[in-house]
Amino acid sequence: MKRTLGTCYYPEHWPEDIWAEDARRMADLGLTWVRIGEFAWSRLEPAPGDMQFDWLDRAFEVLGAAGLRVVLGTPTATPPRWMLDRYPDMLALDAQGRPRGFGSRRHYCFSHDGYRDEAVRITTALAERYGQHPALGAWQTDNEYGCHDTVISYSDAARDAFRIWLADRYGTADALNRVWGNVFWSMDYTDFDQIDLPNLTVTEPNPSHVMDFRRFCSDQVVRFNAAQVEVIRARSDAPISHNYMGRITEFDHFATGAEMQIATWDSYPLGFLEDRLEATAEHKRRYACQGDPDFQAFHHDLYRSVGHGRWWVMEQQPGPVNWAPHNPAPLPGMARFWTWEAFAHGAEAVCYFRWRQAPFAQEQMHAGLLRPDSAEAAGYAEAARVAAELAQAPEVEQARSPVALIFDYQAAWSWEVQPQGKGCDYFRLVFEIYRGLRKLGLSVDILPPDRRDFTGYRMILAPGLEMPPEGLVDAIAGSGAQALFGPRFGSKTANYAIPVPLPPAISGLSAVVARVETLRPDMPVAVEGGGAVRLWREHLEGQAEVLDRDAAGAPVLLRAGPVQYLGGWPDPAYLARILERLAAASGLETVALPQDIRIRQSGPTRFVFNHGPEAVTFEGQSIPPAGVLRG
Ligand code: GAL
C-alpha cells in the first residue's frame, strides 16, 4: 500500500488567479490529495436550480493538471440561506425546542424529508458531472456528522418520523406499552400519534422511550448518508468516505461505514486534549503541545475497523486551532509525529487541514500549512519532511493485533440514558481500558459488537456492553482467547429493562450481580493487592472462582476458565494488574512503558513514539520529544 499525503482546499475562498500556483506548490510539497467542495453549496447553486459548476470544473482542471487527485465533498453540511425559505421547518431543534439557526453550519434536521431530497439532488448533480472525471480520486459525504451536537433533533419532522419508526418496530401501541413498561406512571398510549419526543417532560422520561429515540436518531443519520451513497455509487466507481470526528458516539459509525469503502477522521490532538478528555490538570499541562498519548491512536484503531481496514486522516491539525478553551501551538515536530502515528496504525493517507489559513470568517485564527499571506507556516516543513521520508520508507504490513476491544455505540447511548452516577460514561471506561492496554505496550484492534470471527486474537475485552447482541459471548468464549467482560455487561434487555435472570448471565460463569452502586469520586474502594474500584461497583454473588476481592473481602473479579468478569470500574493501578494478569494468561508479553512512550506493532514493524515534552531513554536509545523510532 502506498502511503500518501494531502490537504483540504477551498478554491471558492481564493481568487482564481492563484489556484494554479497553489496547485503547483501542493504538488511540489509532495501532496497527492486535495479535498474540496464540502462547504461550497452557496457557490454551486446561488439560487434554487441555478447550477454554477463552471468554477468547480476549472478547479478540477487546475488541480488535476498539477497531478493532484481530488476528494470531492458533498456540500450538504451547509445548506444555503435560500433553502430555509423553501423549508422553514428544516432546522434541527434543541432539547428546549429552540431552532439551531442559520449562520454557521450543520443546521439541518436529519429527519426532514424535503432537505434529504435536496441533499440527494445536489449530490446527484455532482456525481453526474464529476463521477467519471479523471482527476477524481474519492468522495466524501457531508462533513463530520454529529459535530456541534447535531445528531439529535427535537423537530416536528423528527417526531413524525419517530412515530413511524415506532409503529414499524412495535406494530401496536399495546405492544409498545408492554415493552416500555408504560403502566409505571400511567404513561400508556392508545395510538402512535400520541407519542412525543422525550424532551420537555417534568422529570426523567421513560428510559425505554429515550433509548428508542437514540436508536432512531442514529438510524436517521445512516439513512441520510445511505441516500447520498446510493446516487454516487450509481455514477462513480471512486471510493466513498465520510470524515468522522473524535469522541462522537451519537450515531453508529459501524452502520454508516457499512455502506462506504473508506473511513476517514479528523484529528485535532491539541483541541481534543483540552476539549474532550477527562484528565487531571497535570496531564493536560504535560501534553498540552503534543496531545494525549492515546486519544488519536484510539480513533485510528476504531476507524480502521469502521473502514473495513481502509482509513485515512482527512483533516490533520498542522498548527494551533481556534475552537478549544486554549489553543497552543504544537511542539516543533508534532505535525510530522502525528502523521507517522497515523501511518503506524495503518492509515492510507493523511491530509492537513487546511492549505492556507483564511483571514476571514469563523476560522481566521486556525492555522494552515500556509499563513494568510501565503508564506509557509510551521506545519509546511514538517509535511515536506514526511513526504521525503515516505519516499524512502519501507512497506508496513498491516497485521491483526493480538488484543481485541469491543466498541458498541448502543452501549454509549444506554449508559447516557441512565448513567446512575456522575462520570459514568461508556466512552470514558473503554478509553481508560484502551489506555491501560497501551501502557503495557500492547497493540489493539477495536471491533464492532456484531463481530463473530475472533481468529488470531489472544485477548478480548468487552467492557460496559449493557445490551450485548446475541451470539457475542459465545463467540468470544469459544474463541480460545482470554476474555474480560464487565462492568455492567448484559445489565439491560434490548428494551431497556433489568433482565431476569439477573446479569451478567454468561454461560459457565456462576455469578449474579445482586446490587449495584455508584461511588463519589473521593470514595474509591480499595482492592486487595493494590488499586481500587471507583465510580461504579457491583456486589457479586455465586460460585465462580474469585480472583480479586475488595478490602472487606467481597468479590470484585471472577473467573471461569478463560472468561473473567469484572464487577467495578478499576482505577489505573488496579486496571494495570488486571490487564497484566490477563496478558500473561494469553501468553502475551507486556512492558511497563515509560509514561510518555507508546508502541505500535504492525506485523514485524515496531514503531516507538515519545509523546512527552522531553527526551526519553528507552531500550538504550534516546528518543527526542515528538520523536518517532521505526524498528
Ligand atoms: C473540523 C471541520 C473543519 C474545520 C476544522 C477546524 O471539525 O471538519 O471544517 O472546521 O474542524 O479545526
Side-chain angles (χ1 to χ4, degrees):
M1 178 188 75
K2 189 162 182 284
R3 288 152 297 185
T4 45
L5 300 175
T7 192
C8 305
Y9 186 54
Y10 300 89
E12 70 277 20
H13 294 182
W14 311 109
E16 203 168 321
D17 58 11
I18 69 169
W19 292 357
E21 172 68 359
D22 279 341
R24 184 194 60 75
R25 289 178 82 185
M26 289 175 200
D28 286 354
L29 180 56
L31 305 186
T32 302
W33 300 99
V34 54
R35 185 196 62 181
I36 60 173
E38 84 277 12
F39 301 127
W41 201 334
S42 72
R43 296 302 165 98
L44 291 170
E45 192 179 9
D50 174 18
M51 309 312 287
Q52 303 270 338
F53 287 131
D54 296 14
W55 68 267
L56 190 55
D57 292 350
R58 293 194 296 277
F60 259 86
E61 209 49 40
V62 168
L63 296 167
L68 296 160
R69 308 203 66 204
V70 172
V71 179
L72 184 59
T74 67
T76 54
T78 49
R81 180 60 187 80
W82 55 256
M83 192 71 76
L84 276 177
D85 299 331
R86 205 173 247 198
Y87 302 108
D89 58 348
M90 63 161 281
L91 296 176
L93 300 191
D94 73 8
Q96 268 60 55
R98 294 171 305 206
R100 313 221 38 209
F102 181 84
S104 66
R105 61 179 174 182
R106 300 218 55 76
H107 45 281
Y108 66 87
C109 174
F110 281 101
S111 295
H112 195 277
D113 287 339
Y115 182 61
R116 197 174 47 246
D117 290 348
E118 295 280 344
V120 166
R121 183 177 60 75
I122 188 84
T123 302
T124 307
L126 287 166
E128 266 165 10
R129 195 161 184 107
Y130 303 105
Q132 304 296 327
H133 196 288
L136 180 81
W139 290 90
Q140 173 183 299
T141 57
D142 203 281
N143 190 79
E144 289 184 348
Y145 293 136
C147 191
H148 318 305
D149 201 9
T150 49
V151 167
I152 300 174
S153 160
Y154 296 91
S155 68
D156 287 356
R159 181 203 56 205
D160 295 347
F162 184 48
R163 288 173 178 169
I164 295 168
W165 188 94
L166 289 171
D168 278 352
R169 189 174 173 95
Y170 295 108
T172 66
D174 272 354
L176 175 142
N177 289 329
R178 225 178 6 260
V179 160
W180 284 10
N182 279 340
V183 61
F184 189 66
W185 280 341
S186 274
M187 298 177 292
D188 288 311
Y189 299 103
T190 52
D191 194 295
F192 287 101
D193 284 344
Q194 298 167 330
I195 304 176
D196 284 325
L197 297 180
N199 62 329
L200 301 174
T201 51
V202 173
T203 184
E204 181 186 347
N206 186 334
S208 306
H209 186 170
V210 186
M211 187 67 204
D212 271 345
F213 180 55
R214 298 298 301 270
R215 290 184 175 120
F216 159 81
C217 291
S218 176
D219 284 359
Q220 295 301 87
V221 177
V222 175
R223 192 160 156 243
F224 184 88
N225 188 64
Q228 296 197 18
V229 168
E230 190 186 327
V231 296
I232 296 172
R233 190 66 319 140
R235 292 162 182 83
S236 178
D237 296 327
I240 308 174
S241 65
H242 175 77
N243 59 333
Y244 300 103
M245 243 292 190
R247 198 174 181 168
I248 284 198
T249 52
E250 284 81 6
F251 67 98
D252 185 342
H253 296 44
F254 292 115
T256 45
E259 317 269 343
M260 296 182 284
Q261 291 70 49
I262 301 179
T264 77
W265 85 286
D266 298 343
S267 178
Y268 291 94
L270 305 194
F272 292 146
L273 176 76
E274 272 280 298
D275 200 41
R276 294 200 181 184
L277 262 181
E278 299 89 352
T280 61
E282 189 198 339
H283 182 92
K284 293 202 177 190
R285 237 183 351 259
R286 180 165 193 82
Y287 297 108
C289 302
Q290 309 94 281
D292 181 86
D294 300 297
F295 193 84
Q296 283 62 247
F298 179 93
H299 290 85
H300 296 338
D301 290 342
L302 171 65
Y303 292 127
R304 189 170 62 246
S305 190
V306 169
H308 328 278
R310 293 194 64 186
W311 73 278
W312 302 13
V313 173
M314 187 58 89
E315 299 180 12
Q316 173 63 64
Q317 171 174 8
V321 301
N322 62 312
W323 45 263
H326 306 96
N327 298 296
L331 219 62
M334 285 317 294
R336 166 180 175 261
F337 178 97
W338 293 323
T339 309
W340 272 111
E341 190 182 31
F343 287 136
H345 287 256
E348 292 181 8
V350 175
C351 302
Y352 300 95
F353 184 92
R354 47 188 283 152
W355 173 243
R356 182 188 292 102
Q357 181 173 352
F360 50 85
Q362 279 91 332
E363 292 176 355
Q364 51 187 276
M365 308 294 275
H366 192 299
L369 290 177
L370 299 185
R371 303 189 320 206
D373 64 359
S374 296
E376 293 172 13
Y380 191 96
E382 296 190 29
R385 180 163 169 203
V386 180
E389 288 169 336
L390 278 175
Q392 309 294 324
E395 280 283 314
V396 176
E397 180 196 327
Q398 291 311 312
R400 192 166 275 201
S401 303
V403 180
L405 178 62
I406 308 291
F407 190 77
D408 180 16
Y409 287 92
Q410 177 164 262
W413 314 331
S414 72
W415 279 61
E416 269 173 50
V417 172
Q418 288 196 330
Q420 182 68 3
K422 206 169 155 194
C424 288
D425 175 90
Y426 171 74
F427 179 93
R428 182 179 175 186
L429 174 74
V430 178
F431 180 64
E432 285 185 13
I433 290 174
Y434 178 83
R435 191 197 285 294
L437 292 162
R438 297 242 307 159
K439 280 161 91 174
L440 294 172
L442 295 167
S443 294
V444 182
D445 288 349
I446 298 181
L447 303 180
D450 63 359
R451 179 70 173 242
R452 294 294 174 271
D453 172 17
F454 293 100
T455 318
Y457 290 108
R458 311 266 284 275
M459 192 167 151
I460 304 169
L461 301 97
L465 253 73
E466 292 201 326
M467 301 176 180
E470 219 166 293
L472 178 68
V473 172
D474 291 344
I476 294 177
S479 69
Q482 296 289 314
L484 180 76
F485 298 98
R488 292 173 82 142
F489 189 88
S491 60
K492 301 287 180 199
T493 65
N495 301 317
Y496 213 94
I498 294 174
V500 178
L502 292 176
I506 293 172
S507 60
L509 181 89
S510 164
V512 157
V513 177
R515 187 176 66 179
V516 300
E517 59 176 330
T518 49
L519 309 170
R520 287 174 54 92
D522 54 357
M523 292 178 72
V525 174
V527 176
E528 272 176 16
V533 292
R534 57 179 181 178
L535 288 172
W536 174 267
R537 182 189 189 203
E538 299 175 359
H539 294 257
L540 304 171
E541 292 176 354
Q543 272 74 54
E545 177 192 355
V546 179
L547 278 186
D548 291 319
R549 296 179 184 276
D550 68 18
V556 176
L557 185 72
L558 306 175
R559 175 166 67 187
V563 169
Q564 299 188 14
Y565 184 81
L566 170 64
W569 185 311
D571 74 355
Y574 180 41
L575 177 63
R577 290 208 293 125
I578 296 171
L579 298 178
E580 272 170 23
R581 191 169 47 200
L582 202 63
S586 317
L588 291 174
E589 251 179 64
T590 55
V591 249
L593 293 175
Q595 179 185 3
D596 298 325
I597 297 293
R598 293 292 186 272
I599 291 173
R600 165 73 187 165
Q601 183 84 36
S602 195
T605 313
R606 192 171 77 139
F607 291 83
V608 180
F609 295 92
N610 175 11
H611 294 260
E614 299 119 22
V616 177
T617 301
F618 180 65
E619 294 181 345
Q621 294 195 64
S622 173
I623 314 177
V628 181
L629 282 186
R630 264 167 287 141

